[in-house]
Amino acid sequence: MTPLIHLMLILMAWVICQPLPQKAAVPVLTVFGMIAVTLFAPVAALFILLTVVEAALMVIVFARFDRKSGWRKWGTYLILPNLLFVDFNEPILGLPVATLAISFSIIRIFMTSRQLLSSRKGLHQPDVIWILTAAFYLPAVVIGPVFSGTDLQKQYRANKAPAPTLRDGRMVLQGLVLAILMAAAFGRYADNVPGPGEAVFLFISLFAAFWGQSLIAEHSSRFFGITLPVNFDHPWKARSIKDFWQRWHRSMAQFVLQYIFLPLNLRGLPPRLATVAAFTFMGVWHNVSLGYLVWGLVHGILLAYAPEPGAARWQLNMGRLLLWVVVVFLSWFANYGPWS
Amino acid sequence: MRWAPAGLIVFLTVLAMVGGHLRAYELTANTRCNYVLAEQSLPSADVVIIGSSRVMHGLDPDYIQAVLAEDKTGASVERVALSWPNFAQFYPPLNRYIETRGAPKLVYLQLAYNYYADRQDTFDLPLNPQRNVAFGRLSELIAVQHGAPLNDTGTRLPRQLHKLWESMAAVWLTHIEMSVFSALRYVPKKLNKTMPACTGDFLRANGNDVSAIGLTVAEAASVEFTSMNPTTLKTARDTVEAFLPMAPSAGWRRGETAQLTRLVALLQGAGTDVVFLIMPSIDQRAVDPDILAEIKTVFPSIDVFFPMDEYGGELAEQISTSFKDAIHSNDFGTVHLSRALAADLQQRLVKQ
């Protein structure tokens, strides 16, 4: 599903929602998300639905256990191996299938399940429907962001839909220009650029596609009065690797911090090692390949061990230069290198 | 700004409508020019030759027409040829041809099965590839896709679950998307001159610079045989050695044969006589009788024409090595293959 088709489906849902009350937006977008994924990737839709059922059953069963029970605290991590279907569907099924939405949906399913189980008010069983909503929420179905369905639940219950602004329309258009025109242009011209320049062009193409689609997701969701997390916060301003990960793919960075780093650290793993482990997970989540394993490992090691740049201007500039050299090279290595 | 989404809808709708009219799709001129040929405000040609790049390189419709004129048979000949096609890609342009210009009297339809082993697993997917999605009408895309079996490649699960298979809804949404892009790409393509006009010789050459086109009888008579470069010859022979058999009744050809059947039904339904055309590969001087028998089993009422049947001896030897590569004839090969088709055509037209 390309960015433009994704937007077309979101706009169709917007038309459907016009005569309906505000609260209908979330269910309409969930149904549209299910239809969209089924149209373009029927096996993926079925797989996500099965994961939703798996997660819902886990939540219902584990909610009966004591809050300190190991199953209640960690059992939902059993959802995460479902991510392997993205990379191993062909040997499992005997033919390659479209795996649209799986990577992001499973993360959201997991986050929602964890949030439901950790709620101090206890589980209200009908709330497991928010696992389905998080999985198939149309604006986020293609490229994220990742979030918990309970965040959607809060906005749904608040029923205070902020009106979309002209800026939202403009940002959706900007997203289209980035994801369609700029990404294609930089990708096309990358072949003509010699040496390391090719890696730079490919990185810009990847960033344009990712940022553009994130803008479409975030701002089109506001057409329905729902606010999603922002994935990119001017990453070109990053001064260090730490700053980079506070600006780049923020929702996923937040996920690995909250659900991989923190639990490992709380269970006794030193913070640096926990950071390396968290970002190694992030790498393998992208793609089960040696290239992305190295990508995650190196990002984790840099986050854990790289010193912050000094205050002097030359130190900041040198830090920025090194940062971007490493980020661009790792991106090229993971996506186009010999082990990709 | 509640209506910002409505503004986006209007904007995209206008772009899609304009783009559909401009047809500046990210496809080669070959595709576009075949549709322009099909949609001309002219009566149908008497004879249309339909096929792949083998037909583009190996049969010159102008030369065939000239040979017929010389023999006072006189028939108009056109060519509809796509590079790297599967059968499904011929349905929309042929349907358009018949609808717009009428049915030809006779069609030579190349048996353009795939012969490359590394392409076979996905050769029939997607059923409606980019060419069809861009230029095809919804009714044509449905005619290609609805109830169409796929090649049986031995998978446990139905191949309709393959990542390259697309639902009709997905296909139609992609069509709208391609139309929007067409509107955005029209001006850059015109400025970069990457959207040449499909007119004159370029049109008759099916929008392809390497097509055989425009040989006169005198020019053809002066084309001489030249031996192939030994390295090219060896590479070509090695390529052909690995070719898959035609095998139209095999399970692994089921999808391709089903699409071929739909093409035949379209043409015969319009009143056109269909003759199957087999274009030779390098060194090929005959068609395996088992293959011919198999074709007859699947398509009992359709004749098969193989141009090399017209030749023997040293000339056949020369023609069979007059190639640019494993499958595309050079000028000497083209002259003789075209001449052979003209002779066959003459006999068929006389019978009619």
Side-chain angles (χ1 to χ4, degrees):
Chain A
M1 196 194 306
T2 61
L4 184 55
I5 291 177
H6 184 211
L7 179 62
M8 281 158 51
L9 290 165
I10 292 170
L11 291 173
M12 280 185 215
W14 181 83
V15 170
I16 301 280
C17 283
Q18 287 318 290
L20 301 174
Q22 165 61 27
K23 279 203 160 185
V26 170
V28 167
L29 286 169
T30 305
V31 169
F32 258 78
M34 291 174 76
I35 293 170
V37 179
T38 306
L39 284 181
F40 286 88
V43 176
L46 180 63
F47 187 79
I48 294 170
L49 198 58
L50 290 173
T51 307
V52 166
V53 171
E54 179 193 352
L57 288 172
M58 275 186 189
V59 167
I60 291 169
V61 169
F62 296 161
R64 294 179 186 164
F65 298 170
D66 186 77
R67 292 187 74 82
K68 291 189 182 151
S69 138
W71 279 107
R72 182 161 177 163
K73 280 161 74 175
W74 311 115
T76 45
Y77 278 86
L78 289 171
I79 296 168
L80 293 179
N82 287 19
L83 289 164
L84 292 171
F85 185 76
V86 174
D87 294 286
F88 296 108
N89 60 87
E90 191 171 351
I92 294 170
L93 298 176
L95 81 172
V97 298
T99 54
L100 171 71
I102 292 178
S103 294
F104 291 96
S105 291
I106 288 181
I107 297 293
R108 289 195 297 268
I109 290 168
F110 169 80
M111 290 173 76
T112 312
S113 308
R114 290 280 298 176
Q115 291 286 312
L116 286 171
L117 280 173
S118 62
S119 168
R120 297 219 172 270
K121 294 177 192 170
L123 176 70
H124 179 54
Q125 277 195 7
D127 285 350
V128 296
I129 196 71
W130 293 100
I131 300 175
L132 181 73
T133 306
F136 286 109
Y137 185 69
L138 179 62
V141 94
V142 173
I143 203 134
V146 296
F147 50 85
S148 167
T150 54
D151 296 334
L152 290 179
Q153 181 189 37
K154 282 176 199 150
Q155 295 185 59
Y156 173 83
R157 285 186 176 159
N159 201 20
K160 282 185 216 168
T165 61
L166 184 62
R167 184 173 180 269
D168 292 316
R170 188 165 54 81
M171 295 310 277
V172 167
L173 270 177
Q174 179 176 320
L176 271 181
V177 169
L178 282 166
I180 295 170
L181 298 176
M182 278 200 59
F186 276 93
R188 203 170 17 239
Y189 292 119
D191 284 339
N192 302 329
V193 180
E198 184 190 0
V200 173
F201 269 58
L202 288 171
F203 179 80
I204 295 173
S205 172
L206 181 147
F207 173 51
F210 199 179
W211 186 29
Q213 290 186 79
S214 293
L215 285 175
I216 292 170
E218 291 152 23
H219 291 276
S220 66
S221 183
R222 289 177 56 84
F223 293 163
F224 304 87
I226 302 289
T227 304
L228 295 182
V230 171
N231 251 346
F232 292 92
D233 178 17
H234 309 92
W236 52 88
K237 292 182 181 174
R239 292 168 302 171
S240 65
I241 191 76
K242 207 166 283 184
D243 194 19
F244 175 80
W245 280 109
Q246 286 168 347
R247 295 173 180 276
W248 179 279
H249 204 180
R250 296 169 67 207
S251 65
M252 195 62 196
Q254 197 59 33
F255 165 81
V256 296
L257 176 72
Q258 190 172 348
Y259 295 102
I260 311 290
F261 168 81
L262 269 177
L264 287 173
N265 185 229
L266 287 172
R267 286 179 77 81
L269 201 63
R272 284 179 165 165
L273 284 181
T275 303
V276 173
F279 276 81
T280 306
F281 171 87
M282 169 99 94
V284 175
W285 169 81
H286 278 86
N287 192 359
V288 176
S289 67
L290 214 47
Y292 261 107
L293 180 70
V294 168
W295 179 92
L297 207 56
V298 174
H299 270 284
I301 290 169
L302 287 173
L303 262 170
Y305 295 96
E308 285 288 299
R313 195 182 190 85
W314 73 267
Q315 287 172 316
L316 280 171
N317 289 339
M318 184 60 72
R320 267 200 169 113
L321 179 65
L322 284 172
L323 166 70
W324 285 106
V325 166
V326 166
V327 164
V328 169
F329 171 73
L330 284 175
S331 171
W332 174 85
F333 184 82
N335 291 295
Y336 305 101
W339 298 335
S340 60
Chain B
M1 289 305 120
R2 197 170 175 279
W3 298 102
L8 272 172
I9 292 172
V10 170
F11 177 59
L12 291 174
T13 306
V14 167
L15 281 181
M17 290 170 67
V18 168
H21 176 72
L22 294 174
R23 292 179 154 186
Y25 304 113
E26 290 300 328
L27 294 165
T28 61
N30 171 231
T31 304
R32 184 164 45 85
C33 291
N34 276 290
Y35 278 88
V36 170
L37 185 82
E39 292 166 350
Q40 286 185 293
S41 302
L42 290 171
S44 161
D46 296 317
V47 180
V48 177
I49 308 168
I50 301 163
S52 67
S53 57
R54 292 191 195 223
V55 159
M56 255 195 279
H57 288 253
L59 293 171
D60 182 342
D62 285 0
Y63 176 56
I64 294 169
Q65 212 167 260
V67 168
L68 292 173
E70 204 180 46
D71 294 341
K72 310 269 189 286
T73 309
S76 54
V77 181
E78 281 180 352
R79 181 180 58 197
V80 171
L82 295 167
S83 47
W84 291 110
N86 55 23
F87 290 122
Q89 294 176 40
F90 288 107
Y91 190 99
L94 289 180
N95 185 62
R96 207 70 57 79
Y97 192 109
I98 291 167
E99 269 187 12
T100 313
R101 301 180 58 184
K105 289 182 194 155
L106 177 68
V107 138
Y108 284 90
L109 178 57
Q110 184 202 346
L111 292 176
Y113 285 90
N114 172 55
Y115 296 105
Y116 295 89
D118 58 353
R119 292 177 69 201
Q120 187 57 24
D121 264 356
T122 55
F123 183 67
D124 55 342
L125 290 173
L127 270 181
N128 278 301
Q130 295 272 294
R131 284 172 164 152
N132 286 20
V133 175
F135 288 94
R137 297 190 193 119
L138 185 58
S139 57
E140 289 161 350
L141 303 181
I142 292 171
V144 165
Q145 184 143 334
H146 181 65
L150 298 177
N151 287 343
D152 180 3
T153 57
T155 55
R156 286 194 307 272
L157 297 173
R159 284 184 71 239
Q160 281 78 3
L161 297 178
H162 195 286
K163 65 181 179 185
L164 291 179
W165 191 90
E166 293 171 335
S167 63
M168 276 313 306
V171 164
W172 198 241
L173 285 168
T174 307
H175 169 78
I176 298 170
E177 182 194 33
M178 290 183 85
S179 300
V180 169
F181 284 148
S182 161
L184 296 173
R185 291 287 295 151
Y186 179 77
V187 169
K189 278 174 147 247
K190 278 295 185 188
L191 289 175
N192 292 333
K193 295 184 172 44
T194 52
M195 193 170 159
C198 293
T199 52
D201 282 350
F202 193 63
L203 176 62
R204 282 187 63 78
N206 306 115
N208 193 309
D209 289 334
V210 298
S211 296
I213 197 72
L215 273 177
T216 62
V217 171
E219 283 166 348
S222 66
V223 173
E224 289 178 355
F225 169 74
T226 49
S227 301
M228 272 180 89
N229 172 289
T231 311
T232 310
L233 180 61
K234 183 181 184 317
T235 307
R237 284 175 169 161
D238 290 343
T239 304
V240 170
E241 195 64 40
F243 272 2
L244 297 169
M246 189 182 290
S249 62
W252 55 276
R253 291 286 196 198
R254 186 177 58 198
E256 291 168 84
T257 300
Q259 291 296 331
L260 175 61
T261 305
R262 288 178 185 213
L263 284 181
V264 169
L266 171 69
L267 292 162
Q268 289 182 332
T272 302
D273 284 336
V274 178
V275 176
F276 282 152
L277 167 66
I278 296 179
M279 292 296 286
S281 304
I282 194 164
D283 288 334
Q284 189 181 4
R285 293 170 60 172
V287 178
D288 188 330
D290 290 339
I291 298 286
L292 289 172
E294 203 177 333
I295 296 169
K296 215 63 187 167
T297 311
V298 181
F299 299 97
S301 60
I302 301 185
D303 287 347
V304 180
F305 172 65
F306 180 59
M308 291 300 293
D309 284 342
E310 305 290 312
Y311 300 106
E314 192 189 339
L315 181 57
E317 179 67 35
Q318 288 179 336
I319 299 168
S320 71
T321 55
S322 291
F323 278 77
K324 299 172 196 171
D325 51 43
I327 57 174
H328 299 119
S329 307
N330 63 18
D331 286 354
F332 186 83
T334 300
V335 164
H336 288 87
L337 295 178
S338 300
R339 256 214 113 81
L341 191 139
D344 181 77
L345 179 51
Q346 208 165 23
Q347 290 173 14
R348 292 182 193 276
L349 290 173
V350 161
K351 276 184 204 164
Q352 282 184 358

